[in-house]
Amino acid sequence: MVAALNPIALKFGPFEIHWYGVIIATGVVLAVVLAMREADRRQVSSDDLFNLILWSLPFALIGARLYYVLFEWPYYAAHPGEIIAIWHGGMAIYGSLIASAIVFYVFCRRHQLPIWLVLDIAAPTVILGQGIGRWGNFMNQEAFGAQTSLAFLQGLHLPNFIIQQMFINGAYRQPTFLYESVWDLLGFVVIMSLRHRKGLFKQGEVFLLYVSWYAFGRFFIEGMRTDSLMLFNLLRVSQLLSLIFFIVAIGLWIWRRYNDPLLVDYLAGNQKK
């Protein structure tokens, strides 16, 4: 029998601190620190950004949990006490992103902040937090894929602690949590290396790059998972949303570029000689 890692980091009497929460909090803290530094660089008030983060974080957590609970309602209707037990896992990233987007829009409108610029500041930090957060799923043995063999996992040259943790329900599993974490962290590196290149991006396009990058990878990785949230027992919810977000992000990027007056003149052949 392969022993799983202990999901509890610390215990004080009846109080337990789970690795899931510790890892999620670490990702959030790093994201906030990087966002605040970028805000200073982009002449956005760090006080405004910090207030925005304070507003968005609780709604992001609530949105992530509500999204998951709604799509697993038969279970939670029978176990209502589990609805608030977020330390057991069950936080949907897309629920968090949707709730955060609403808060971002309302806050930026009320405080007259340039929403595209604020989204550009937040985008790389969010995907970093997502990449780190997937290791919380690892500790809870969530977000896994189909059955596989020990030889396959060893062939990926994974550390033994990952291989052991992928022994779930009597079988070794595809480490889809790891695939998504690597995809997210690679996206963070790509965005960070490109976002300050002069003339490469219009305002808002760093955010659109994040959305399209994340949605593209999530679509394929979600298709490998065996614990996906389902719609009518037919469609993987996150896969459907990934497809929608990818199409919208790319379409919006093209539309905004096409409607740039200088680009329109160029495409029409009216550029100055």
Side-chain angles (χ1 to χ4, degrees):
M1 181 68 67
V2 178
L5 297 175
N6 188 349
I8 300 173
L10 295 171
K11 189 172 183 178
F12 302 97
F15 299 102
E16 298 175 343
I17 299 176
H18 287 242
W19 279 113
Y20 184 88
V22 172
I23 292 170
I24 295 295
T26 300
V28 169
V29 169
L30 285 175
V32 170
V33 170
L34 289 175
M36 297 293 287
R37 289 181 178 179
E38 182 65 9
D40 290 336
R41 181 186 179 117
R42 303 291 288 272
Q43 284 82 53
V44 171
S45 169
S46 56
D47 288 339
D48 283 339
L49 186 63
F50 188 70
N51 288 332
L52 172 57
I53 292 169
L54 287 180
W55 275 102
S56 63
L57 280 178
F59 282 98
L61 291 173
I62 293 170
R65 187 58 172 175
L66 282 179
Y67 181 103
Y68 186 87
V69 168
L70 286 174
F71 285 103
E72 293 286 347
W73 181 244
Y75 171 81
Y76 287 103
H79 305 85
E82 284 290 304
I83 292 177
I84 63 171
I86 60 174
W87 50 89
H88 292 158
M91 303 286 282
I93 289 175
Y94 274 134
S96 174
L97 294 178
I98 292 169
S100 296
I102 295 171
V103 173
F104 265 59
Y105 178 78
V106 172
F107 188 94
C108 289
R109 288 293 298 269
R110 287 189 174 181
H111 294 266
Q112 298 182 328
L113 295 174
I115 188 166
W116 284 116
L117 178 57
V118 173
L119 289 172
D120 280 347
I121 292 171
T125 68
V126 171
I127 201 170
L128 173 64
Q130 289 172 309
I132 294 171
R134 277 303 175 197
W135 288 88
N137 298 130
F138 166 74
M139 292 302 300
N140 278 357
Q141 293 186 306
E142 304 170 322
F144 53 83
Q147 291 187 18
T148 188
S149 65
L150 175 60
F152 175 83
L153 295 177
Q154 290 174 335
L156 296 178
H157 304 290
L158 299 176
N160 194 53
F161 76 94
I162 294 180
I163 294 175
Q164 289 183 339
Q165 192 73 351
M166 286 298 97
F167 190 80
I168 303 170
N169 298 330
Y172 288 100
R173 301 282 180 165
Q174 287 275 1
T176 47
F177 90 91
L178 179 63
Y179 301 156
E180 186 172 333
S181 179
V182 170
W183 179 255
D184 291 345
L185 296 176
L186 179 60
F188 171 73
V189 172
V190 170
I191 294 172
M192 290 293 285
S193 64
L194 295 178
R195 70 173 177 175
H196 290 311
R197 292 195 179 183
K198 188 174 182 180
L200 184 59
F201 294 116
K202 290 176 59 177
Q203 195 172 102
E205 290 181 351
V206 170
F207 170 72
L208 294 177
L209 173 59
Y210 153 68
V211 173
S212 55
W213 179 282
Y214 177 74
F216 182 84
R218 180 66 185 273
F219 177 85
F220 291 102
I221 296 169
E222 189 69 24
M224 300 173 65
R225 288 176 56 173
T226 58
D227 61 345
S228 299
L229 297 176
M230 303 296 291
L231 184 64
F232 307 123
N233 292 321
L234 295 173
L235 298 172
R236 299 174 190 267
V237 180
S238 292
Q239 208 168 27
L240 177 61
L241 283 178
S242 294
L243 181 61
I244 292 171
F245 286 153
F246 179 79
I247 292 173
V248 170
I250 296 299
L252 188 55
W253 193 329
I254 294 172
W255 183 85
R256 294 176 80 241
R257 284 276 176 165
Y258 183 79
N259 283 274
D260 185 297
L262 295 178
L263 184 59
V264 170
D265 286 344
Y266 179 82
L267 294 175
N270 298 326
Q271 65 273 27
K272 294 181 180 179
K273 304 294 184 182

